Every structure is written in C-alpha cells, then in structure tokens.
Amino acid sequence: GQLLDGTTIKGQAQPGELLPNVAYKFFGRWQQSNNPKYPAPSFLFVAAVKDIPHNREAVVQYIVRSLKGFNTGIGEVKAHKLYDFYEADAVRQLRMNPSEVAVALRHDVSKCREASEILDRDKKFEDCKISLVEMFAGKGFGKKTIAEAIEKWGVRAASFVRRDPYLLLTNRINGAGFSRCDNLYLHLGGAPEKMKRQVLAGAEVMHKDMSGNTWHPISKAVDSIKAKVDGVNIDPAKAIKIGGKTKRFAFYLDDRFRTWISSHEHARSEDDIARIVADLLSRRPEWPDVSNVADISLSPHQRERVAAALRGRVSILKGGPGCGKTFCAAAIVKTVVSQFGLGQILLSASTGNAAVRLSTSMAKNGIPIR
C-alpha cells in the first residue's frame, strides 16, 4: 500500500482489515531498497491497529501505573498536568522529550529522564497498554490481565479484546471471569442476546464449580444462562446444543437415560485419567507385596488403611481435614523406601502449601524427598 506521503508499506492483513482514509499505527521495521529506480525505503509491518486518541483518564492511569514503585516524583497530580500540556500525546512527550517536560512541569529533569527510560522499555506496546487501561477502567481487571493479553496477542491485543471481550475468558487470561468479560462486552455495545454470550454463561458455572464433580444435571447450565443473561430473549436449549457442536460442552447418558453435562475440558481430563489408571492396573508383573507397614506411630485404623493403600498400583487415601492423610503418606513412602530404596519415588501436590506440608512430613520421618 501507499501512505499519503508516498511511503510504501508491505505486510499481511485480513481482507477488509485495513480501510482507506482510516488512521492506523503500523508495527514492524524499515527496509532499505536495493532498486536504484525506487531508492526510498519501504516499511514491512507485522501488525496494524487503529489509531484511536486516548482520553485523559487512560493516559493518566497509564503513566501512574508505569511509574509506580520508581522514585520519579510523577504521580497522579503531575500526570494530570502533563495531560493538560500535551493531551493524548503526553506519554510520548515524556518518553521522547523529558527535558522539555521537566520545564513544563517545573520538575527535576533527572527524574523526568528516569521516567523517560522506564517508559522507553515498553514503547513497543505503549498504545496497546493505554488502550487496554482505557477499556478496563472500572471493570475489575488488573495489571496481570493486561500483561497476559499482550503476551498472548502482542500489539493487537487491544484490537482483539475490543472486537471480542470473551477472548479473555476463552483463553483463560488472568483475572478474566465471565462476569467481568460480560460487563466489558455490554459496555462496548455488544448485543445482549448474542448466542455466544449464552453458551459461555452456561459453561462458566461448570468451570467455577468447586464440588469436585465432572458431570452436572443439564438444568444447572440452563439455570446459569437464565441468571446471567437476564432481560433478553434467550434460548438455553439452542445455546447448549451449539455448545456441544463447538466443543464447549460434553454430554453423558446414564443407564437411567438421564443426560448429564460437563465442560468439554473437564470431560476430556476425566477420560485421560481413566485411561491412565486402566493402563496402570493392567500392567505386568503384578504389584509386589509391600503391605508390611514400616513402623511409624500409627493408630490401628491408620495402619489398616495404609496397608490397604500399599496393596495395589493405584490407591486413594481419603478423609476429612486433620485425620492424618499427610502423616499416613509419610508411612506409605517410608514403607516403599524400606523395601525398594529412594530411586523411583516422586511426590507431587496440587498446591504450594500442600507441597510444603508433605515435604515437612517426609523430613520428620527421615525421608529426603521434596
């Protein structure tokens, strides 16, 4: 393409993505020409985003967030003054002309230069970050959401999110639950009755369920759609059907002909675990007899349960908080170590706190495994 000043730009774009007489920012690199007939350099772009002027609050918040924790002396009051002088160009001016900004703000020039260096590190994503700050203002999203969105989509992150806020949810971006994304979607003028909104409302209830169940009554998804997509003409049955076709939902018909629903992700994980357990149980040779529990101060009940856990390749030791599961885990490991050594034993835990407790329990019993 040709810019108004005659500069040639080259790059890949989707049909209809770039329109004439619309202002864009292009990201890429300059390329010198090897053709003497056309000596002017051309610009190779890897991304293009609409150049949308930023408002005061977005610019001020971007400056404050970027400089927070650094001794620049530029806080919210100074950032507002900066916007008074330069409006939407305030960030670029501070980054490019710190000495001039120091005079305008009557501020220490060395601190303005430090602020300039801080902003310069992020200049590639500057406009994108400001756009995201502007979009997310008052919506509950934090800095991690912005950072992960840019890591995922680069300088196009703001354009992608503006086009479809639910991308934050479906890509599991930090801090992006259904309610926040839905609020942003409606704020940006999204159609309340959109079918994708209904599908995601049904899926979210299963992702947030803390009961430990993979499968749920189908009414649970229906109720979630009715509750979250309120005040418009909704069609939960159609949403659930579309969710199945797009692999958001999985379905299971039990022996009493009741249909159960799950998120496709959870159902797939359950299948994977079942397949792995079946494979472990079918292996040869047979699991050796290690039920002779090493002597740790166990109660008779605990000794019985530990012995049972040691009889097969796959065992589940369960119980409520404080019943001694971690203590018994040490007894199981110590028994295996006493007969087979440390070489092939690994321990894992689902949280950092659980890992610390398990490591501590091992150490108390003389087992050097973390």
Side-chain angles (χ1 to χ4, degrees):
Q2 292 281 324
L3 301 187
L4 293 178
D5 66 358
T7 302
T8 300
I9 58 168
K10 301 175 183 177
Q12 293 187 347
Q14 298 298 318
E17 184 179 349
L18 298 176
L19 303 173
N21 303 312
V22 175
Y24 293 94
K25 279 191 169 69
F26 292 95
F27 298 86
R29 62 184 175 85
W30 289 98
Q31 183 181 56
Q32 294 300 319
S33 173
N34 293 322
N35 190 338
K37 290 184 179 180
Y38 306 100
S42 59
F43 190 78
L44 301 180
F45 69 86
V46 294
V49 296
K50 284 185 181 179
D51 185 15
I52 301 171
H54 303 299
N55 63 26
R56 173 186 290 270
E57 193 57 34
V59 171
V60 167
Q61 286 303 311
Y62 177 77
I63 293 171
V64 170
R65 289 187 186 192
S66 297
L67 303 181
K68 187 177 181 180
F70 297 96
N71 186 26
T72 64
I74 299 177
E76 196 157 337
V77 173
K78 293 278 187 184
H80 274 289
K81 286 185 178 179
L82 196 58
Y83 189 88
D84 290 338
F85 279 108
Y86 302 109
E87 296 185 337
D89 200 35
V91 177
R92 192 183 70 84
Q93 288 294 337
L94 178 56
R95 177 166 53 77
M96 300 291 290
N97 303 306
S99 299
E100 180 185 315
V101 169
V103 174
L105 294 181
R106 296 181 181 178
H107 196 60
D108 187 331
V109 68
S110 65
K111 293 188 179 297
C112 284
R113 284 176 182 152
E114 183 182 351
S116 171
E117 291 173 4
I118 294 165
L119 293 173
D120 194 56
R121 295 170 200 158
D122 289 336
K123 65 182 177 183
K124 181 178 179 182
F125 302 110
E126 190 174 279
D127 289 287
C128 182
K129 283 187 176 180
I130 296 173
S131 294
L132 289 172
V133 167
E134 185 175 354
M135 260 193 290
F136 291 167
K139 305 294 186 301
F141 297 104
K143 289 176 68 175
K144 285 186 176 180
T145 308
I146 293 175
E148 286 192 18
I150 289 175
E151 184 179 351
K152 179 75 178 176
W153 297 299
V155 292
R156 294 184 177 185
S159 298
F160 284 2
V161 173
R162 187 177 284 108
R163 194 182 310 153
D164 183 2
Y166 295 121
L167 286 174
L168 295 167
L169 173 67
T170 56
N171 284 274
R172 293 282 181 259
I173 300 297
N174 187 292
F178 175 81
S179 296
R180 287 176 183 170
C181 294
D182 192 53
N183 184 25
L184 179 59
Y185 170 78
L186 295 174
H187 176 77
L188 293 173
E193 70 279 2
K194 188 172 183 178
M195 192 53 64
K196 182 176 183 178
R197 184 180 179 221
Q198 298 183 46
V199 172
L200 293 175
E204 182 68 359
V205 70
M206 286 173 278
H207 277 292
K208 296 190 77 170
D209 182 84
M210 300 300 290
S211 68
N213 295 319
T214 301
W215 299 95
H216 309 273
I218 209 159
S219 59
K220 191 168 185 175
V222 172
D223 292 344
S224 179
I225 294 169
K226 289 179 179 178
K228 294 180 183 295
V229 188
D230 192 19
V232 297
N233 293 325
I234 59 173
D235 190 343
K238 183 179 179 181
I240 290 170
K241 187 176 180 180
I242 290 173
K245 288 183 177 179
T246 56
K247 294 192 174 180
R248 296 247 174 247
F249 301 137
F251 304 99
Y252 168 67
L253 187 67
D254 68 14
D255 54 7
R256 294 169 62 183
F257 302 102
R258 294 175 301 183
T259 300
W260 298 79
I261 191 171
S262 169
S263 75
H264 189 269
E265 179 184 346
H266 290 174
R268 187 178 59 198
S269 296
E270 185 178 73
D271 284 345
D272 289 342
I273 292 168
R275 188 171 60 254
I276 291 165
V277 170
D279 176 61
L280 287 169
L281 293 176
S282 67
R283 288 185 183 181
R284 295 292 184 268
E286 295 295 336
W287 181 254
D289 182 8
V290 286
S291 57
N292 185 20
V293 181
D295 187 21
I296 298 180
S297 303
L298 299 171
S299 69
H301 173 70
Q302 289 173 332
R303 181 179 294 278
E304 177 191 329
R305 294 295 88 207
V306 168
L310 285 162
R311 288 193 189 111
R313 290 181 183 276
V314 180
S315 297
I316 297 173
L317 184 70
K318 63 181 183 177
C323 72
K325 294 186 299 296
T326 305
F327 185 65
C328 288
I332 291 170
V333 174
K334 191 163 186 177
T335 300
V336 176
V337 169
S338 69
Q339 297 189 43
F340 303 102
L342 286 167
Q344 298 184 60
I345 297 175
L346 294 174
L347 302 177
S348 69
S350 57
T351 68
N353 286 337
V356 170
R357 289 197 300 273
L358 194 56
S359 296
T360 302
S361 181
M362 296 299 145
K364 285 181 178 178
N365 286 282
I367 305 166
I369 302 177
R370 291 180 62 78

PDB file of all heavy atoms in Angstrom, residues 18-22 24:
ATOM      1  N   LEU A  18      -7.799  -3.437   6.700  1.00  0.00           N
ATOM      2  CA  LEU A  18      -7.283  -2.077   6.519  1.00  0.00           C
ATOM      3  C   LEU A  18      -8.177  -1.336   5.530  1.00  0.00           C
ATOM      4  O   LEU A  18      -8.412  -1.805   4.417  1.00  0.00           O
ATOM      5  CB  LEU A  18      -5.842  -2.130   5.991  1.00  0.00           C
ATOM      6  CG  LEU A  18      -4.828  -2.802   6.908  1.00  0.00           C
ATOM      7  CD1 LEU A  18      -3.461  -2.869   6.233  1.00  0.00           C
ATOM      8  CD2 LEU A  18      -4.713  -2.059   8.220  1.00  0.00           C
ATOM      9  N   LEU A  19      -8.679  -0.181   5.961  1.00  0.00           N
ATOM     10  CA  LEU A  19      -9.604   0.592   5.138  1.00  0.00           C
ATOM     11  C   LEU A  19      -8.973   1.927   4.757  1.00  0.00           C
ATOM     12  O   LEU A  19      -8.210   2.507   5.541  1.00  0.00           O
ATOM     13  CB  LEU A  19     -10.900   0.845   5.912  1.00  0.00           C
ATOM     14  CG  LEU A  19     -11.628  -0.408   6.424  1.00  0.00           C
ATOM     15  CD1 LEU A  19     -12.799  -0.004   7.311  1.00  0.00           C
ATOM     16  CD2 LEU A  19     -12.110  -1.251   5.252  1.00  0.00           C
ATOM     17  N   PRO A  20      -9.263   2.448   3.562  1.00  0.00           N
ATOM     18  CA  PRO A  20      -8.719   3.750   3.157  1.00  0.00           C
ATOM     19  C   PRO A  20      -9.216   4.865   4.071  1.00  0.00           C
ATOM     20  O   PRO A  20     -10.317   4.796   4.630  1.00  0.00           O
ATOM     21  CB  PRO A  20      -9.260   3.936   1.728  1.00  0.00           C
ATOM     22  CG  PRO A  20      -9.681   2.568   1.285  1.00  0.00           C
ATOM     23  CD  PRO A  20     -10.091   1.838   2.522  1.00  0.00           C
ATOM     24  N   ASN A  21      -8.377   5.888   4.228  1.00  0.00           N
ATOM     25  CA  ASN A  21      -8.739   7.108   4.970  1.00  0.00           C
ATOM     26  C   ASN A  21      -9.057   6.861   6.446  1.00  0.00           C
ATOM     27  O   ASN A  21      -9.788   7.619   7.074  1.00  0.00           O
ATOM     28  CB  ASN A  21      -9.927   7.818   4.305  1.00  0.00           C
ATOM     29  CG  ASN A  21      -9.639   8.154   2.847  1.00  0.00           C
ATOM     30  OD1 ASN A  21      -8.577   8.697   2.542  1.00  0.00           O
ATOM     31  ND2 ASN A  21     -10.545   7.796   1.950  1.00  0.00           N
ATOM     32  N   VAL A  22      -8.519   5.768   6.983  1.00  0.00           N
ATOM     33  CA  VAL A  22      -8.605   5.499   8.424  1.00  0.00           C
ATOM     34  C   VAL A  22      -7.182   5.556   8.969  1.00  0.00           C
ATOM     35  O   VAL A  22      -6.254   5.063   8.336  1.00  0.00           O
ATOM     36  CB  VAL A  22      -9.218   4.118   8.705  1.00  0.00           C
ATOM     37  CG1 VAL A  22      -9.196   3.805  10.199  1.00  0.00           C
ATOM     38  CG2 VAL A  22     -10.651   4.054   8.177  1.00  0.00           C
ATOM     39  N   TYR A  24      -4.087   4.463  11.093  1.00  0.00           N
ATOM     40  CA  TYR A  24      -3.581   3.246  11.724  1.00  0.00           C
ATOM     41  C   TYR A  24      -2.178   3.477  12.265  1.00  0.00           C
ATOM     42  O   TYR A  24      -1.448   4.347  11.776  1.00  0.00           O
ATOM     43  CB  TYR A  24      -3.500   2.083  10.717  1.00  0.00           C
ATOM     44  CG  TYR A  24      -4.832   1.591  10.218  1.00  0.00           C
ATOM     45  CD1 TYR A  24      -5.369   2.098   9.038  1.00  0.00           C
ATOM     46  CD2 TYR A  24      -5.547   0.619  10.914  1.00  0.00           C
ATOM     47  CE1 TYR A  24      -6.590   1.651   8.571  1.00  0.00           C
ATOM     48  CE2 TYR A  24      -6.767   0.170  10.451  1.00  0.00           C
ATOM     49  CZ  TYR A  24      -7.293   0.695   9.277  1.00  0.00           C
ATOM     50  OH  TYR A  24      -8.508   0.249   8.814  1.00  0.00           O
TER      51      TYR A  24
END
